[in-house]
């Protein structure tokens, strides 16, 4: 199987975290998001432990909660000793309502509104990751009104394209997030931040991308960032205490994706950072990382029920399921790869080539193309693997489809963490006109 938390039982049913998926489909209905809580905790511990061991005791992973945001996940993050990234007041509210401490939150985003800044400062947010000049001014003004000195990191773009493993002059510099090092704008911006009486610049942040399968892009980014730290020391006598290297190691969605040893990659990045700090004569910073997908993705499986199998003579076959881009828009958005199984017939030969279509009224609303399955029938349970990240958090009510529930699996037991939406939920915000 693709991951060690998946198996097949005597009835030929897919199990996740030791629980029969067919039983879960019957108990909760479909579509349903399953989340292996033990695996989420194990991943969190891998990061927490390896970062502390190799980067130093103050180093922490920040769970990038845009990957999966609901109250329960913030509780798990807190229990496992992670901080969290949030990108909106809605995520901030959700985390707070789960009891997550505001001081351990990092507020991201390229357009934090005045209302976001006010709300976050009122709640005692730990850190803003400052993205632009207007935001800096708004934070300075709001912090002054509250009589505080707000901690911030500055988001810069190091100009790394993680998929070519090279520092490039354009590409990632040309994006809506952060301030470019290469153009000199980041250095000038540091001067502006240092003039702010109510803002305390703790250090720098960069995020070079997602689905990175080894340490090399992080080392390349660290090279540029540590040189920048040294340059800022030379220019302003400013010593950065924190270096945030962003998200996130890659995840195995299909057999052809590699499996990565997160702890070993962290060790290699740490070695590299230590060497560069010595070379550039800067103190070893507190290193932060922002894993999202690699904490939750492979803990998730979505179950659907097959409705129809349609073969278009001379073309292809479509298997239609009772969910779709409303609960998983990633194939429609990015052509993302997924592994698909018929969960109730795992031992039958997979010899039927087909595309899996959702029920949304769009031709592009597919879940996956060209998969081979045992020929499905109406009523079969279809499992799409590795859906723990960017599925529930990107779900919509398109076509007025109710969002599925989230069921947590732990120690062989299942419990509901998010209930299924009802039709009443769909019209809850609507007024009679
Ligand atoms: C999306 C994002 C992450 C998380 O990326 P993953 O691929 O989910 O690990 C971390 N930091 C920032 C700034 C992001 O935008």
């Amino acid at each position: 199987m693709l991951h060690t938390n998946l198996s097949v039982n005597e009835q030929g049913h897919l199990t996740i975290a030791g629980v029969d998926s067919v039983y879960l489909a019957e108990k909760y209905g479909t579509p349903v998001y399953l989340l292996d809580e033990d695996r989420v905790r194990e991943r969190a511990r891998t990061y927490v432990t390896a970062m502390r061991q190799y980067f130093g005791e103050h180093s922490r992973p920040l769970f990038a909660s845009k990957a999966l945001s609901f109250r329960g996940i913030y509780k798990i993050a807190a229990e496992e000793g992670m901080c969290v990234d949030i990108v909106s007041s809605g995520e901030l509210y959700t985390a707070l309502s789960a009891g997550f401490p505001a001081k351990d939150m990092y507020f991201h985003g390229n357009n934090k509104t005045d209302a976001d800044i006010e709300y976050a400062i009122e709640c005692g947010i730990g850190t803003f990751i400052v993205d632009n000049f207007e935001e800096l001014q708004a934070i300075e003004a709001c912090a002054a009104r509250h009589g505080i000195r707000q901690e911030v990191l500055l988001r810069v773009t190091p100009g790394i394209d993680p998929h070519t493993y090279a520092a490039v002059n354009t590409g990632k510099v040309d994006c809506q997030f952060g301030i470019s090092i290469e153009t000199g704008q980041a250095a000038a911006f540091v001067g502006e931040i240092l003039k702010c009486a109510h803002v305390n610049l703790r250090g720098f942040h960069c995020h070079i991308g997602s689905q990175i399968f080894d340490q090399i892009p992080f080392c390349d980014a660290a090279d540029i960032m540590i040189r920048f730290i040294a340059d800022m020391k030379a220019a302003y006598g400013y010593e950065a205490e924190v270096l945030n290297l962003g998200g996130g190691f890659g995840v195995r969605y299909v057999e052809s994706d590699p499996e990565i040893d997160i702890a070993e990659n962290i060790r290699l990045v740490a070695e590299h950072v230590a060497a560069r700090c010595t070379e550039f004569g800067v103190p070893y910073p507190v290193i932060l990382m922002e894993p999202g997908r690699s904490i939750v993705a492979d803990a998730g499986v979505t179950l659907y029920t097959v409705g129809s199998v349609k073969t278009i003579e001379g073309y292809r076959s479509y298997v239609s399921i009772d969910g779709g881009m409303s609960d998983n828009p990633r194939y429609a958005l990015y052509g993302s790869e997924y592994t698909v199984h018929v969960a109730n017939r795992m031992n039958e030969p997979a010899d039927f080539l087909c595309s899996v279509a959702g029920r949304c009224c769009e031709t592009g609303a597919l879940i996956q193309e060209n998969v081979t399955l045992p020929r499905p029938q109406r009523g079969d349970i279809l499992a799409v693997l590795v859906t723990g990240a960017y599925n529930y958090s990107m779900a919509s009510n398109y076509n007025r489809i109710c969002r599925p529930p989230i069921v947590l699996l732990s120690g062989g037991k299942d419990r509901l963490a998010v209930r299924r939406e009802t039709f009443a939920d769909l019209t809850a915000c609507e007024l009679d006109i």
Side-chain angles (χ1 to χ4, degrees), residues 121-156:
I121 286 182
E122 239 166 51
C123 296
I125 186 99
T127 309
F128 282 102
I129 306 210
V130 171
D131 176 273
N132 57 71
F133 188 67
E134 291 91 333
E135 175 189 329
L136 175 67
Q137 288 179 307
I139 292 172
E140 168 70 6
C142 188
R145 259 186 282 116
H146 283 80
I148 61 159
R149 198 143 181 260
Q150 177 63 51
E151 298 201 342
V152 305
L153 299 179
L154 172 63
R155 178 166 186 168
V156 301

Side-chain angles (χ1 to χ4, degrees), residues 215-407:
Q215 84 289 1
I216 296 167
F218 288 105
C219 292
D220 290 349
D223 286 351
I224 295 170
M225 296 299 286
I226 293 165
R227 182 187 292 272
F228 182 68
I229 289 173
D231 288 349
M232 294 308 95
K233 194 177 162 191
Y236 304 105
Y238 168 73
E239 267 188 10
E241 299 154 65
V242 176
L243 173 57
N244 183 333
L245 292 173
F249 285 113
V251 162
R252 191 159 195 243
Y253 286 97
V254 291
E255 294 282 351
S256 56
D257 287 333
E259 207 142 13
I260 78 161
D261 181 340
I262 291 169
E264 173 61 8
N265 276 280
I266 288 173
R267 190 185 69 77
L268 292 168
V269 176
E271 241 176 46
H272 190 86
V273 168
R276 284 296 174 276
C277 287
T278 308
E279 182 184 331
F280 287 104
V282 299
Y284 196 99
V286 171
I287 303 287
L288 306 176
M289 293 182 91
E290 304 175 321
R293 153 190 343 257
S294 58
I295 300 286
V296 291
D298 63 23
V301 170
T302 308
L303 302 179
Y304 302 96
T305 302
V306 172
S308 73
V309 181
K310 185 181 292 177
T311 297
I312 306 170
E313 301 290 339
Y315 293 86
R316 63 165 140 176
S317 298
Y318 287 94
V319 173
S320 289
I321 54 172
D322 59 352
M325 71 181 276
S326 49
D327 59 77
N328 182 359
R330 292 188 69 251
Y331 189 78
L333 275 174
Y334 324 112
S336 308
E337 290 186 290
Y338 281 105
T339 302
V340 182
H341 291 295
V342 178
N344 53 315
R345 298 201 275 124
M346 293 296 287
N347 293 334
E348 294 180 27
D351 52 7
F352 182 70
L353 180 68
C354 58
S355 292
V356 178
R359 60 179 298 190
C360 294
C361 295
E362 304 252 343
T363 47
L366 302 176
I367 289 292
Q368 201 64 198
E369 291 178 274
N370 300 319
V371 294
T372 47
L373 302 171
R375 191 189 169 90
Q377 295 161 6
R378 186 175 176 91
D380 278 342
I381 303 301
L382 208 86
V384 178
L385 308 185
V386 195
T387 55
Y390 306 108
N391 273 233
Y392 176 73
S393 65
M394 292 182 120
S396 74
N397 291 124
Y398 185 47
N399 291 178
R400 288 261 138 158
I401 293 170
C402 295
R403 271 177 275 240
I406 300 177
V407 174

